[in-house]
């Protein structure tokens, strides 16, 4: 490894020893990645399907990772039939943790998952060197890919952003899912995505620009094998009919609680070509879907951030029996009144 890629973190000796022990334990269970660079797109098209969810992170009352809570939730995700997890980004609050905690979090998740679900990280760093360091680290833990946002500072022109991703992918073999979003400050242009799609390990894009028309257009413009991923479950049934394969990088399936089986049902019916029956199953989620939008998605659309909306999701998690705890300061936590309002509505909807 070149010197400029070597980790620069100064950890105490006991932290380094603990990290080495955990890595050794995980690497004994993990094999190499499931694909070669040149086959990354084909692997993703075959493998990345269904619901790839972004879970929230349980915290203790003193704002530490609730390790038992993380393990409990992952066991529940497996029971639910979640197809994959994309962790370490905005929804998991990892934009608001220290560098050492970011690495520790990914170790905890990999250890708890124990190879059961396909794991992806989310990288939000404007420094390409930090992004490479993180991706090389999680590859050793058994993660198969990374959703990567384009730099939120400095690099804004197409050529600059392309050079950033080219440098990144030249230095890691992990599959990369682009993140097309106004949160980055620069929404990836169609021409730039077409150029990025020619990189072997760029397997697709999370089309998070909140425009259904653009999702359809991008899928038409991109080359075969490039996966245009819809992050809004509201559109997922229609997306299946138009060639989509995955509802990527959100958390509605987990939040649907006692009614989440309707989501799996409409996917099954869609794959059988029973579109009207699939629509009827999807319609069973209409009320909870709208409640989710009102308490999460529209807040993101209004503010172009996730922070203020996550407290509602943590209250929702606890109402359906998952572990959550407080949100990390300085983000404001949900009020007791709002928390009770969410719980009562979920009971009324038959979710909790």
């Amino acid at each position: 490894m070149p010197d400029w890629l070597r980790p620069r973190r100064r950890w105490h000796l006991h932290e380094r020893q603990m990290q080495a022990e955990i890595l050794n334990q995980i690497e004994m269970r993990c094999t190499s990645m499931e694909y070669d660079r040149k086959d990354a797109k084909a692997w993703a098209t075959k493998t990345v399907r269904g619901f790839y969810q972004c879970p929230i992170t349980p915290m203790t009352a003193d704002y530490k990772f609730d390790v038992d809570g993380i393990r409990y939730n992952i066991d529940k995700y497996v029971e639910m039939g979640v197809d994959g997890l994309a962790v370490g980004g905005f929804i998991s609050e990892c934009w608001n943790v220290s560098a050492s905690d970011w690495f520790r979090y990914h170790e905890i998740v990999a250890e708890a998952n124990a190879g059961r679900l396909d794991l992806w990280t989310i990288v939000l760093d404007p420094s390409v060197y930090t992004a490479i360091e993180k991706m090389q680290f999680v590859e050793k833990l058994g993660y198969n890919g990374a959703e990567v946002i384009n730099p939120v500072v400095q690099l804004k022109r197409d050529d600059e952003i392309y050079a950033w991703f080219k440098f990144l992918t030249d230095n890691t073999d992990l599959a990369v899912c682009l993140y097309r979003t106004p949160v980055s400050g620069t929404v990836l242009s169609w021409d730039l995505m077409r150029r990025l799609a020619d990189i072997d390990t760029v397997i697709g894009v999370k089309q998070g620009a909140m425009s259904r028309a653009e999702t359809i257009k991008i899928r038409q413009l991109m080359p075969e094998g490039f996966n245009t991923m819809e992050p809004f479950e509201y559109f997922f049934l229609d997306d299946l009919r138009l060639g989509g394969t995955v509802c990527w990088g959100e958390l509605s399936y987990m939040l649907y609680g006692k009614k989440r089986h309707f989501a799996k049902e409409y996917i099954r019916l869609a794959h059988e070509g029973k579109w009207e029956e699939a629509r009827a199953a999807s319609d069973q989620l209409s009320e909870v879907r709208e409640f989710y939008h009102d308490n999460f998605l529209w807040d993101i659309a209004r503010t172009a951030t996730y922070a203020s909306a996550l407290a509602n999701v943590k209250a929702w998690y606890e109402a359906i029996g998952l572990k959550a705890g407080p949100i990390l300061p300085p983000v404001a936590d949900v009020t007791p009144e709002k928390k009770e309002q969410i719980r009562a509505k979920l009971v009324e909807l038959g979710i909790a």
Side-chain angles (χ1 to χ4, degrees):
M1 180 189 299
D3 286 341
W4 53 266
L5 277 180
R6 296 191 183 280
R8 294 171 172 81
R9 301 181 306 282
R10 290 186 174 91
W11 289 3
H12 295 301
L13 178 59
H14 74 277
E15 289 178 312
R16 293 199 300 269
Q17 290 172 336
M18 180 174 66
Q19 181 208 28
E21 181 180 348
I22 292 170
L23 278 171
N24 288 336
Q25 292 172 354
I26 294 172
E27 287 181 12
M28 290 176 64
R29 295 197 298 265
C30 294
T31 58
S32 59
M33 290 189 305
E34 300 174 6
Y35 55 88
D36 296 323
R37 285 185 62 95
K38 61 181 177 59
D39 299 321
K41 286 184 176 65
W43 170 85
T45 299
K46 179 180 178 181
T47 305
V48 181
R49 291 174 172 267
F51 288 101
Y52 271 59
Q53 300 281 274
C54 288
I56 62 96
T57 301
M59 298 289 179
T60 62
D62 58 349
Y63 305 116
K64 305 296 184 184
F65 291 138
D66 178 358
V67 177
D68 289 339
I70 293 172
R71 290 169 177 157
Y72 175 88
N73 283 356
I74 289 177
D75 287 344
K76 291 299 181 183
Y77 303 150
V78 173
E79 291 177 14
M80 293 175 194
V82 171
D83 297 289
L85 296 177
V87 304
F90 294 126
I91 292 177
S92 68
E93 299 181 78
C94 282
W95 66 274
N96 196 27
V97 301
S98 68
S100 59
D101 277 348
W102 191 97
F103 288 91
R104 173 64 179 140
Y105 169 83
H106 283 76
E107 291 169 343
I108 294 167
V109 170
E111 183 183 21
N113 182 59
R116 293 176 292 175
L117 300 174
D118 188 21
L119 287 185
W120 288 58
T121 186
I122 298 175
V123 175
L124 305 172
D125 301 272
S127 165
V128 73
Y129 304 106
T130 301
I132 292 167
E133 181 181 0
K134 287 182 172 182
M135 290 170 67
Q136 291 180 341
F137 180 83
V138 300
E139 181 182 341
K140 294 177 181 178
L141 300 177
Y143 288 72
N144 275 318
E147 176 188 311
V148 182
I149 200 170
N150 47 294
V152 299
V153 296
Q154 294 299 327
L155 307 181
K156 300 298 181 181
R157 296 194 297 269
D158 280 7
D159 286 348
E160 293 173 328
I161 297 172
Y162 178 84
W164 191 94
F165 276 104
K166 184 66 167 64
F167 191 82
L168 175 79
T169 54
D170 282 348
N171 287 283
T172 173
D173 291 331
L174 273 187
V176 169
C177 170
L178 306 173
Y179 185 20
R180 186 173 189 266
T181 173
V183 176
S184 71
T186 303
V187 177
L188 299 174
S189 72
W190 297 350
D191 288 343
L192 173 57
M193 284 196 299
R194 185 61 184 81
R195 292 170 63 191
L196 291 169
D198 289 334
I199 297 175
D200 285 340
T201 53
V202 176
I203 61 91
V205 61
K206 176 181 179 179
Q207 192 344 59
M210 292 190 168
S211 169
R212 179 64 180 155
E214 283 196 291
T215 300
I216 296 170
K217 183 64 175 178
I218 290 166
R219 185 170 288 126
Q220 294 171 347
L221 292 173
M222 293 301 107
E224 184 177 357
F226 184 87
N227 300 277
T228 303
M229 303 176 181
E230 179 61 72
F232 303 111
E233 186 275 330
Y234 180 88
F235 297 123
F236 190 36
L237 177 57
D238 290 334
D239 214 44
L240 289 169
R241 197 162 196 168
L242 296 174
T245 59
V246 61
C247 185
W248 174 275
E250 50 94 74
L251 71 169
S252 62
Y253 176 73
M254 297 184 297
L255 296 182
Y256 288 165
K258 294 178 181 179
K259 290 190 177 181
R260 70 173 65 91
H261 64 280
F262 286 115
K264 288 288 188 176
E265 184 177 346
Y266 78 63
I267 292 177
R268 176 184 61 80
L269 291 166
H271 289 160
E272 294 173 0
K274 300 176 181 178
W275 296 104
E276 293 305 317
E277 295 171 46
R279 173 62 61 191
S282 177
D283 287 347
Q284 296 296 315
L285 296 167
S286 294
E287 289 186 328
V288 65
R289 190 180 279 140
E290 287 305 313
F291 188 62
Y292 166 61
H293 293 173
D294 289 343
N295 284 275
F296 186 62
L297 285 184
W298 300 133
D299 200 77
I300 296 173
R302 179 178 58 84
T303 64
T305 71
Y306 287 74
S308 61
L310 277 176
N312 291 341
V313 175
K314 287 205 153 185
W316 190 315
Y317 249 54
E318 292 184 347
I320 62 174
L322 295 172
K323 307 299 183 182
I327 200 161
L328 287 178
V331 179
D333 209 344
V334 64
T335 65
E337 294 78 14
K338 181 64 174 180
K339 190 172 185 178
E340 174 55 26
Q341 178 189 345
I342 290 171
R343 187 204 64 80
K345 185 63 176 180
L346 293 176
V347 170
E348 177 188 329
L349 292 173
I351 301 303

